[in-house]
Amino acid sequence: HTMVTTGAMSKRIDRLEESGLVTRRTSVGDRRGRVVGLTPAGLAVIDEAFTAHIANEHRLVAPLTDEERADLERLLARRLDARGADMGTVESVDLIGLLAEEWARVGAVFELPECTAEVVVPGVARLLRRAVRNLLENAVRHGRRTGHAEVVAQLSLQGGHAVLHIDDRGPGVPPDQRERIFEPFYRLPGASEREGGVGLGLALVRQIAVRHGGSVACDNREGGGARFTLRLPQSPEIGL
């Protein structure tokens, strides 16, 4: 693990603040101020920050580094933990449309039961897209470890819930690790930092699911690999 100095992190936060992506609150005796969270622009950038370098659109003099993307991810996790934080506008989110865009981006197979006209849930579209994207990218990443990048996404309605299964052909997740992988900064034994991320991707998925009154779980995929299941209620009673 690379040791991160306070000075290095402070310089990164300076650049993110200058770009309008984070805010600080100054306090007596603290000239630099304390970071308190993401700005609306920061919340917008985070949608793309982990899949593409964002530069001129947000006054960044250079593309976001991996460390700066990790900083934004940590700030999003902290904001999701703050129950009173405003996470955005709750609206009716078309999961079929959202998934169609995301599975096409990673080359996954998208399966939808016949006669399913629409699957709509109440929520913050930006957060739901982040949850789906994290699950898909996790599946692709682990599939590559075994040389099988096939990912299948299945969406259906079950008992008042939208249920999304994302299946991969990776090495799978041992039973005693299937809850731990949703803990912040936890990595499966043998996972390489070179594979990307800081161990927050699945933790963010769970936080987002819970904030929407839903859940996420991991199980085996028949024939090898892992199955992640995201359940989201169609009822508007959510904790956002």
Side-chain angles (χ1 to χ4, degrees):
H1 297 283
T2 303
M3 182 176 294
V4 179
T5 65
T6 302
M9 180 175 294
S10 181
K11 288 180 180 178
R12 294 202 306 270
I13 296 300
D14 283 346
R15 197 165 83 95
L16 292 173
E17 183 185 23
E18 290 168 2
S19 302
L21 304 185
V22 302
T23 58
R24 294 179 191 265
R25 180 171 57 214
T26 57
S27 58
V28 176
D30 183 0
R31 182 177 58 84
R32 303 181 68 82
R34 183 172 67 87
V35 176
V36 295
L38 296 161
T39 64
L43 282 170
V45 166
I46 207 166
D47 281 345
E48 297 297 332
F50 308 107
T51 56
H53 282 163
I54 306 300
N56 296 330
E57 295 96 326
H58 296 278
R59 307 197 307 276
L60 289 170
V61 295
L64 288 172
T65 65
D66 290 342
E67 291 82 4
E68 287 167 336
R69 294 199 298 275
D71 289 336
L72 289 177
E73 195 169 22
R74 291 186 185 97
L75 288 171
L76 176 59
R78 190 171 71 182
R79 186 161 181 159
L80 284 166
D81 268 341
R83 300 299 298 178
D86 180 12
M87 297 309 304
T89 302
V90 177
E91 58 187 315
S92 295
V93 180
D94 171 18
L95 289 183
I96 294 178
L98 187 155
L99 272 164
E101 295 172 3
E102 292 301 316
W103 73 255
R105 193 180 59 81
V106 300
V109 176
F110 182 26
E111 298 179 356
L112 190 68
E114 293 183 9
C115 302
T116 303
E118 64 177 12
V119 178
V120 176
V121 298
V124 179
R126 175 183 296 134
L127 294 180
L128 293 178
R129 182 178 297 277
R130 170 51 51 197
V132 168
R133 183 173 294 180
N134 282 8
L135 288 173
L136 286 171
E137 291 180 346
N138 177 76
V140 170
R141 184 166 58 250
H142 287 284
R144 287 173 179 161
R145 293 177 63 185
T146 61
H148 301 284
E150 172 200 356
V151 173
V152 178
Q154 300 172 316
L155 181 64
S156 62
L157 290 173
Q158 300 177 18
H161 284 73
V163 179
L164 172 64
H165 296 302
I166 295 184
D167 299 336
D168 65 58
R169 288 297 185 199
V173 181
D176 63 345
Q177 304 287 310
R178 290 177 191 162
E179 275 299 308
R180 294 206 65 189
I181 57 175
F182 294 105
E183 296 175 5
F185 308 111
Y186 183 76
R187 291 175 178 271
L188 280 172
S192 170
E193 292 186 1
R194 290 176 297 179
E195 293 175 355
V198 293
L200 271 173
L202 293 178
L204 284 173
V205 173
R206 172 156 285 180
Q207 286 178 298
I208 292 168
V210 169
R211 286 294 291 261
H212 285 78
S215 64
V216 64
C218 174
D219 206 339
N220 277 336
R221 179 185 185 183
E222 186 176 349
R227 160 170 283 192
F228 285 83
T229 301
L230 177 65
R231 295 178 181 272
L232 297 168
Q234 293 185 286
S235 164
E237 297 180 6
I238 57 179
L240 285 163

